[in-house]
Amino acid sequence: MVSVLPSHAPGLAPGPAPLRSRERLAAPAPEPLTARLVRPPVDLEVIIPAFNERRRLPSTLGATTAYLAAQSWSSAVVVVDNNSVDGTLEALERFADSPVAVHVIGCCDQGKGAAVRRGILTSAARYIGFADADNATPITTLGPVMELLEEGHGAVIASRETEGARRAVEQTALRRAGGWMFRALAHLTLPDIADSQCGFKFFSGPLAREIAGHCHVDGFAFDVELLARVLRAGDDVVEVPVVWTDVPGSTFSAGRDGLRSMADLLRISMAR
Ligand SMILES: Nc1nc2c(ncn2[C@@H]2O[C@H](COP(=O)(O)OP(=O)(O)O)[C@@H](O)[C@H]2O)c(=O)[nH]1
Ligand SMILES: [Mg+2]
């Protein structure tokens, strides 16, 4: 015969009282796993997307951390690597005890756009943006950029095409021709932006996080999609003139990346 003990059988210590449904609801929800990827908040995070940048990134990171360490606002650098195979990460070891935090994260989707998006979506910074590993735009450009962000502009971008800008070292004729075509296509979406392609763009953190979640372009045309969404959100984009230097060692392939970027630009212009 099977006997069933009453829950308060005499002689037995009572077990823990069962939770009433109200108490069950009040129990703290576990933190979502994705939230654990978010870094501590700072005033500014500088994302550097990196793909096989062993040669160019260490000196850029040195200049960037030295500049940031001298500022009154708090900051961090976030290198987003896409499975570099040239020893990029090993070359960054000396920044392990940098006075400005250097985070290194990965991204499973290949492409500069995917990497930057990953950096933005894992940031809690007040302002966030990206710079290229080649230091083509001097990091001191952050001075005027931060002033404009503090004034409340949604996006502040470096420009090689506004008054006062200069190219200290010009690109090859092929890249110039490709750049001209790219600009013509980008103008379909961003008619009032003179240079949508300079790799140095900074945003209000909350705005960047809001729009990056809706972006899809993984390759080099991602900036156009990002800026189009800033404008669509009712925010503004300010261009800051820069002295820009073409640095050898570009990861951009005119055939592979050029054609894909043009196709992305057409898609972005049609999605408006
Ligand atoms: N994470 C990541 N970064 C990339 C990828 N492709 C390019 N980059 C980075 O994007 C930045 C701009 O690339 P760069 O080679 O300077 O292109 P260019 O300035 O247009 O000639 C550099 O920091 C590159 O390392 C990629 O697939 N993944
Ligand atoms: Mg470059």
Side-chain angles (χ1 to χ4, degrees), residues 64-80:
T64 304
T65 51
Y67 174 83
L68 292 175
Q71 307 309 311
S72 55
W73 21 271
S74 60
S75 57
V77 180
V78 186
V79 175
V80 189

Side-chain angles (χ1 to χ4, degrees), residues 49-51 53 56 80 82 110-112 115 132-134 175 250-251:
F51 183 55
E53 292 286 7
R56 304 193 300 176
V80 189
N82 262 136
Q110 193 72 40
K112 180 180 177 183
D132 286 349
D134 58 10
R175 276 303 294 272
S250 173
T251 60

